[in-house]
């Protein structure tokens, strides 16, 4: 990784990953791109270019201009937005991905893109979901993610592109909020705990999903990209999770810091149905065995840090 091009660099993952990679690899070696511009550190602190990922020629031109040897492709619509606009999701999520893979093939770049717990579906084993198992998602987002995993493996097998991916759970962070996801409640709940000491959850009681704190997610990306390829039996994509939580389990943890915090429910049927089609908890054994995945933050440690930072 000498010159890294990031798409979707102003999104939830990209805004923190760009800063982390610039610290590790040097400001000029991390080229941030996004469809919009802001006055954030990502735009001001190093090379930044406007890029609509459905424009394959521009993506190729930018990667060539900056001599990129690594592409981290993050631009995508999340699950709830994809369910509201399925055709847009297909065109953006799959169109952007194939452009990023083609650019990587043509320029010989290493390639990373996130998959998701959303790649699983209602017929997948719900607990300790194995690395290799049934994948029949019932959402457009899930269809995109499974297709993306297969396409990324295809580019590795057919063209030798060094593609690698992670099946991320809901990611929790305090810098940039996620948008249009099903797991977003697990971020909102912390903001509301600080602001209003109460939260109304659109996800119902007893609905468990995997989550991970952003510092662990960023380390996982870097560690996977730096992993010795000889040790990788899988590529696209690895199960990774740090905790399996429901709204009431996060609430109990928040109440250890803010005793008066209260939780109520106003369940959104669309996002609830998506959540119920996903696993309760996935097994990260393959990631641990093949490249040493490890999460530092459990629910208690993450909650303490989130509340501290948001204050
Ligand atoms: N956080 C994502 C979503 O909820 C899952 O990958 O859409």
């Amino acid at each position: 990784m000498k010159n890294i091009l990031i798409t979707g660099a102003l999104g939830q993952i990209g805004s923190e990953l760009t800063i982390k990679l610039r610290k590790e690899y040097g400001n000029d070696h991390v080229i941030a791109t996004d469809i919009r511009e802001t006055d954030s550190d990502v735009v001001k602190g190093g090379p930044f270019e406007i890029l609509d990922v459905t424009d394959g020629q521009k993506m190729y031109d930018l990667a060539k201009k900056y001599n990129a040897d690594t592409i981290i492709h993050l631009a995508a619509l999340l699950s709830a937005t994809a369910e509201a606009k399925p055709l847009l999701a297909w065109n953006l999520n799959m169109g952007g991905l194939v452009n990023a893979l083609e650019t990587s093939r043509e320029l010989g770049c290493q390639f990373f893109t996130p998959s998701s717990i959303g790649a699983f579906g209602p017929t997948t084993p719900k607990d300790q979901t194995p690395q290799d198992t049934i994948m029949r998602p019932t959402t457009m987002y899930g269809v995109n993610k499974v297709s993306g995993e297969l396409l990324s493996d295809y580019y590795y097998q057919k063209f030798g592109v060094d593609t690698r991916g992670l099946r991320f759970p809901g990611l929790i962070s305090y810098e940039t909020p996620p948008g249009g996801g099903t797991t977003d409640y697990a971020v909102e709940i912390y903001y509301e705990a600080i602001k209003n000491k109460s939260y109304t959850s659109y996800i119902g009681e007893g609905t468990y999903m995997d989550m991970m704190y952003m510092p662990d997610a960023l380390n996982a990306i870097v560690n996977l990209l730096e992993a010795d390829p000889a040790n990788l039996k899988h590529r696209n994509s690895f199960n990774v999770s740090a905790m399996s939580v429901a709204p009431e389990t996060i609430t109990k943890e928040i109440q250890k810091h803010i005793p008066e915090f209260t939780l109520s429910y106003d369940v959104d049927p669309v996002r609830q149905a998506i959540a119920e089609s996903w696993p309760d908890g996935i097994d990260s054994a393959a990631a641990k065995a093949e490249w040493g995945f490890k999460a530092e933050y459990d629910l208690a440690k993450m909650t303490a840090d989130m509340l501290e930072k948001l204050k």
Side-chain angles (χ1 to χ4, degrees), residues 12 77-81 115-119 141 145 167-171 178-185 202 209-211 274 278:
Q12 190 200 9
L77 292 188
L78 290 184
S79 58
T81 312
S115 184
S116 161
I117 52 170
Y141 181 70
K145 289 303 185 189
R167 286 182 193 136
F168 272 139
L171 298 181
T182 300
T183 56
D184 297 10
Y185 90 87
Y202 61 80
M209 285 184 279
D210 289 286
M211 303 285 168
I274 296 174
W278 292 354

Side-chain angles (χ1 to χ4, degrees), residues 210-233:
D210 289 286
M211 303 285 168
M212 193 189 300
Y213 201 30
M214 189 60 84
D216 283 330
L218 302 182
N219 284 335
I221 294 173
V222 173
N223 292 342
L224 174 60
L225 280 172
E226 288 178 344
D228 181 348
N231 297 332
L232 300 182
K233 293 194 197 78

Side-chain angles (χ1 to χ4, degrees), residues 59-125:
M59 192 187 293
Y60 173 87
D61 291 344
L62 287 177
K64 202 170 164 65
K65 172 179 164 188
Y66 288 98
N67 217 357
D69 64 359
T70 306
I71 294 185
I72 298 182
H73 176 57
L74 303 176
L77 292 188
L78 290 184
S79 58
T81 312
E83 228 34 50
K85 297 176 182 162
L87 188 61
L88 174 66
W90 178 267
N91 288 336
L92 179 68
N93 292 357
M94 300 313 297
L97 176 65
V98 82
N99 287 338
L101 285 166
E102 269 299 289
T103 300
S104 301
R105 180 182 70 76
E106 286 171 318
L107 298 176
C109 300
Q110 191 186 28
F111 178 84
F112 173 87
T113 200
S115 184
S116 161
I117 52 170
F120 297 115
T123 51
T124 302

Side-chain angles (χ1 to χ4, degrees), residues 13-208:
I13 302 175
S15 57
E16 292 191 52
L17 183 65
T18 301
I19 304 298
K20 179 186 171 78
L21 292 177
R22 281 186 178 151
K23 274 187 198 136
E24 282 179 33
Y25 296 93
N27 286 356
D28 291 343
H29 295 279
V30 181
I31 302 93
T33 74
D34 205 291
I35 197 163
R36 67 208 160 94
E37 199 168 342
T38 62
D39 57 5
S40 65
D41 285 354
V42 169
V43 175
K44 306 285 173 215
F48 177 86
E49 300 271 0
I50 294 282
L51 174 64
D52 172 349
V53 293
T54 61
D55 185 345
Q57 185 64 49
K58 184 159 184 194
M59 192 187 293
Y60 173 87
D61 291 344
L62 287 177
K64 202 170 164 65
K65 172 179 164 188
Y66 288 98
N67 217 357
D69 64 359
T70 306
I71 294 185
I72 298 182
H73 176 57
L74 303 176
L77 292 188
L78 290 184
S79 58
T81 312
E83 228 34 50
K85 297 176 182 162
L87 188 61
L88 174 66
W90 178 267
N91 288 336
L92 179 68
N93 292 357
M94 300 313 297
L97 176 65
V98 82
N99 287 338
L101 285 166
E102 269 299 289
T103 300
S104 301
R105 180 182 70 76
E106 286 171 318
L107 298 176
C109 300
Q110 191 186 28
F111 178 84
F112 173 87
T113 200
S115 184
S116 161
I117 52 170
F120 297 115
T123 51
T124 302
K126 276 216 171 302
D127 297 306
Q128 285 294 304
T129 304
Q131 174 67 35
D132 302 306
T133 187
I134 300 165
M135 300 180 82
R136 306 285 300 176
T138 48
T139 63
M140 176 50 89
Y141 181 70
V143 170
N144 296 165
K145 289 303 185 189
V146 174
S147 308
E149 289 191 11
L150 294 173
L151 194 61
S152 299
D153 271 347
Y154 180 82
Y155 267 72
Y156 170 64
Q157 282 150 10
K158 176 93 176 173
F159 305 118
V161 179
D162 184 0
T163 58
R164 305 179 185 201
L166 298 169
R167 286 182 193 136
F168 272 139
L171 298 181
I172 296 170
S173 61
Y174 54 84
E175 294 274 358
T176 307
T182 300
T183 56
D184 297 10
Y185 90 87
V187 178
E188 290 167 13
I189 194 169
Y190 289 102
Y191 280 81
E192 293 301 313
I194 296 290
K195 251 205 281 178
N196 300 320
K197 299 196 176 8
S198 69
Y199 179 65
T200 304
S201 175
Y202 61 80
I203 292 294
E205 187 173 353
T207 309
Y208 280 82

